[in-house]
Amino acid sequence: MKIGIVGSGAMGSGIAQVIASAGNQVSLYDSNPLALEKAGANLEATFQKLAQKGKMSYEEAGIYFNNIRLVNELKDLANSELIIEAIIEDLEIKKELFQKLEALVSQDCILASNTSSLSMASIAASCQNPRRVIGIHFFNPAPLMALVEIIPAVQTDSDLVLKTKELVETWKKLPAIAKDTPGFIVNRVARPFYGEAIRILEEGVADCATIDFAMTSLGGFRMGPFQLMDFIGHDVNYRVTESVFKEFFYDPKFKPSFTQKRLFEAGFYGRKSGRGFYDYSENAIQPQPTTDSALLESIFKRILVMLMNEAADAYYLNIASVKDIDIAMTKGVNYPKGLLAWADEFGLENLEKELDALYNLYHEDRYRCSPVIRRLVKENKNFYN
């Protein structure tokens, strides 16, 4: 299949690597010639390293790299059967690009966006034929992360959803179909991992190191929330939180924090800038966590129940199926368990009680229990019944 990719940054290059390795002919375009040249060199080096590590033969590495063609002009994508854009998260810029692409390609060409949270309906509306527009959202780094969210716009042809799902599977990825709502599955359901952790910090219950330790030691998460926010970068993570909050009509459960906003405003983006919630300078002394077991358990439980509640709400509002929500969180952000399977294990009656206790303490709407949890408790059922 002939596939065009617009944007040769980390995400675009990663997608090119994935698709070329599946035997497709890829045309990688970038408006910046230097960025395109750098991407080509990095891709060649990546394939060689994979061969050195025994992940593929040197012959395969050469074939896969030669499947990628670097192009300097948008018109060189004209014969593509599918184009995936992986450019800046700016709705107007994406819409302008889709209009240009539609004027170049055939009527059968699928136009896809790698957006992580923008409205697919808005992007599709920029095209004369919105039925062929769909979201294909990879996770960074694309070659390593198994999940791909598929997001049909309300205008998307229903047959295209299944076709896209089957196509993603040929790339050896796990597709999860999501409704076109802010954040889709992962960036919506994951918000409490960050938001509730910051809330606990702001309340003075515990410091960053202790909260991170609670989630890694008791929950089995690979990184704690503050470690992960610093790794992602507050220029990215805060903007996503702000966008989701705004796009959900200012639902208080998605409300950003002033603590992270100040880091963002100061340019303390995390690892990339040398400072975030933690200090990454050469001689910095990293804080040690408190090891009080009761405190760690209370932190872990509070963040976990908020995550499980958000996953339940995503299911309740038909954002995705139970299975796709759990696939998304385990394969998109490496959670140790699917949140809805975890909720069944935790006990939905216990989950309901924990959420109600938080709501009764704070009387804030962010702690409202999802109606689907109450219904399942009443019916003595689980998510996986």
Side-chain angles (χ1 to χ4, degrees):
M1 189 174 188
K2 296 178 181 178
I3 299 175
I5 298 171
V6 179
S8 67
M11 182 58 80
S13 295
I15 296 170
Q17 180 186 330
V18 168
I19 295 175
S21 298
N24 299 281
Q25 298 299 309
V26 177
S27 295
L28 180 61
Y29 164 81
D30 200 298
S31 59
N32 183 335
L34 293 177
L36 188 63
E37 183 181 350
K38 181 181 178 182
N42 288 341
L43 281 163
E44 185 174 21
T46 296
F47 281 117
Q48 288 301 307
K49 286 178 183 176
L50 290 170
Q52 289 169 9
K53 292 178 179 179
K55 303 289 185 182
M56 61 182 66
S57 68
Y58 282 98
E59 182 182 3
E60 286 173 324
I63 292 170
Y64 296 154
F65 176 66
N66 288 328
N67 281 343
I68 302 172
R69 181 173 66 115
L70 306 180
V71 299
N72 291 299
E73 295 187 49
L74 208 60
K75 66 181 182 181
D76 292 328
L77 304 180
N79 65 345
S80 300
E81 297 166 79
L82 163 67
I83 295 180
I84 303 173
E85 67 80 10
I87 62 172
I88 187 171
E89 282 287 90
D90 184 296
L91 181 60
E92 293 308 314
I93 292 175
K94 288 184 188 291
K95 287 166 72 173
E96 183 180 350
L97 172 64
F98 271 68
Q99 288 172 348
K100 290 179 179 178
L101 291 172
E102 189 175 37
L104 289 173
V105 299
S106 72
Q107 285 295 317
D108 297 326
C109 179
I110 302 165
L111 299 179
S113 173
N114 184 61
T115 180
S116 60
S117 61
L118 296 176
S119 164
M120 282 307 307
S122 293
I123 294 172
S126 67
C127 294
Q128 292 181 359
N129 178 15
R131 294 172 61 83
R132 54 148 152 202
V133 178
I134 195 164
I136 302 179
H137 177 219
F138 287 78
F139 288 77
N140 202 19
L144 299 181
M145 303 306 289
L147 180 73
V148 173
E149 290 179 328
I150 297 173
I151 310 100
V154 293
Q155 307 100 309
T156 303
D157 192 315
S158 59
D159 292 340
L160 183 55
V161 179
L162 178 59
K163 182 179 179 180
T164 304
K165 181 176 182 289
E166 291 173 346
L167 184 59
V168 167
E169 288 172 339
T170 68
W171 303 336
K172 298 180 181 178
K173 294 296 180 183
L174 283 172
I177 299 171
K179 193 175 181 179
D180 184 16
T181 53
F184 311 134
I185 304 173
V186 171
N187 280 322
R188 175 206 179 112
V189 175
R191 291 345 294 164
F193 190 67
Y194 315 113
E196 201 60 26
I198 295 174
R199 181 65 179 266
I200 292 168
L201 174 71
E202 290 177 335
E203 290 177 5
V205 174
D207 61 9
C208 296
T210 301
I211 298 167
D212 280 346
F213 184 64
M215 300 311 292
T216 56
S217 63
L218 298 183
F221 290 87
R222 294 188 184 184
M223 300 176 77
F226 298 103
Q227 294 168 325
L228 185 53
M229 283 184 280
D230 275 1
F231 179 78
I232 294 169
H234 300 289
D235 53 332
V236 175
N237 187 264
Y238 174 75
R239 280 181 172 139
V240 172
T241 300
E242 189 177 48
S243 172
V244 169
F245 178 56
K246 178 183 176 182
E247 293 300 317
F248 269 107
F249 306 114
Y250 304 99
D251 187 327
K253 69 178 177 176
F254 298 115
K255 186 177 180 181
S257 75
F258 284 113
T259 298
Q260 190 178 30
K261 187 171 190 280
R262 295 297 179 257
L263 291 177
F264 168 69
E265 291 170 338
F268 295 161
Y269 297 151
R271 286 184 177 273
K272 68 179 75 175
S273 68
R275 180 175 168 184
F277 283 109
Y278 295 102
D279 186 347
Y280 297 94
S281 58
E282 188 175 347
N283 299 316
I285 299 173
Q286 298 303 326
Q288 296 302 305
T290 302
T291 55
D292 179 272
S293 58
L295 176 61
L296 294 172
E297 178 66 29
S298 67
I299 293 167
F300 165 58
K301 186 185 292 183
R302 178 170 165 182
I303 295 175
L304 179 63
V305 299
M306 292 294 283
L307 284 168
M308 293 187 296
N309 190 48
E310 193 54 49
D313 230 23
Y315 169 63
Y316 173 66
L317 296 172
N318 295 305
I319 305 305
S321 69
V322 167
K323 181 182 176 182
D324 279 357
I325 289 169
D326 277 0
I327 286 174
M329 302 315 293
T330 54
K331 301 302 183 181
V333 277
N334 287 322
Y335 280 15
K337 298 178 186 178
L339 289 170
L340 298 178
W342 210 340
D344 284 352
E345 181 184 310
F346 186 84
L348 298 190
E349 189 173 353
N350 292 331
L351 177 56
E352 182 183 39
K353 287 177 180 177
E354 292 290 340
L355 289 164
D356 285 346
L358 286 167
Y359 183 82
N360 290 335
L361 176 63
Y362 292 101
H363 284 277
E364 291 183 40
D365 213 28
R366 68 188 279 137
Y367 298 109
R368 66 185 186 267
C369 178
S370 176
V372 71
I373 295 172
R374 297 197 190 281
R375 176 171 62 79
L376 291 173
V377 169
K378 187 175 180 180
E379 296 173 356
N380 196 28
K381 293 181 179 178
N382 290 327
F383 285 106
Y384 278 89
N385 269 6

